[in-house]
Amino acid sequence: MSAALPLDYQLCFSLYAASMAITRTYKPMLDRLGITYPQYLVLHALWEEDGRTVGAIADRLALESSTVTPLVKRLEAAGFVTRARNPEDERQVQVRLTERGRAMREECGCLGEEVFTRSGMSVERLHTLHREAQALWNALREPKD
């Protein structure tokens, strides 16, 4: 039986730890705005394309609809979005930004800048890291024969 590599040598742990560090970096700013990181991701998906269905938001964020639904409900209760059944397909729930939800986009603009500043890395290095992480994600989510 071979011994497991120490955590510091495992890619999965490095990516997990980096993700957690980014989330902790965002947290104080998101706390001031009154939203969580997962709620921020839902808003971001709607800033890209308003009026998405819960299922489309889930697909965009690589989550299950059952995970997105409570996030959307909390955002609705806070006045950031509205939900309505699709009149053409009652099974779908469409989510739209309110004025407050659209305005939040400007307030969240500094999140990426904070990661850049705290990391001390060059823009080029962060772009390379981003491309490599996306390539890994794309490779792992594609079905293999």
Side-chain angles (χ1 to χ4, degrees):
M1 181 189 320
S2 64
L5 287 174
L7 284 175
D8 290 340
Y9 293 100
Q10 294 192 27
L11 176 62
C12 59
F13 181 71
S14 295
L15 292 171
Y16 169 77
S19 177
M20 293 300 294
I22 289 170
T23 302
R24 282 192 297 275
T25 300
Y26 283 2
K27 188 172 181 353
M29 292 175 279
L30 293 174
D31 284 350
R32 283 192 297 276
L33 297 172
I35 59 174
T36 63
Y37 183 66
Q39 290 170 335
Y40 163 75
L41 293 177
V42 170
L43 287 171
H44 209 289
L46 291 168
W47 296 330
E48 290 178 352
E49 184 182 327
D50 198 9
R52 291 182 191 231
T53 64
V54 169
I57 294 168
D59 288 345
R60 178 66 182 102
L61 301 179
L63 296 170
E64 297 294 324
S65 292
S66 60
T67 301
V68 171
T69 297
L71 296 171
V72 169
K73 286 181 178 181
R74 285 193 290 278
L75 286 169
E76 182 180 41
F80 295 110
V81 301
T82 60
R83 295 178 307 137
R85 292 269 173 208
N86 182 346
E88 296 170 15
D89 185 347
E90 289 288 319
R91 296 170 297 173
Q92 294 181 338
V93 175
Q94 291 180 306
V95 184
R96 297 198 182 284
L97 292 163
T98 62
E99 193 58 43
R100 183 175 185 204
R102 282 188 288 280
M104 182 65 78
R105 184 177 193 165
E106 294 303 314
E107 296 181 58
C108 289
C110 61
L111 293 175
E113 294 168 15
E114 183 67 15
V115 170
F116 171 72
T117 301
R118 297 257 324 259
S119 75
M121 294 179 175
S122 69
V123 171
E124 295 78 19
R125 186 167 178 200
L126 287 172
H127 281 298
T128 299
L129 181 58
H130 178 253
R131 281 191 305 275
E132 292 297 317
Q134 283 211 305
L136 177 61
W137 181 38
N138 289 333
L140 293 175
R141 68 182 175 168
E142 292 175 6
K144 301 294 179 201
D145 296 331

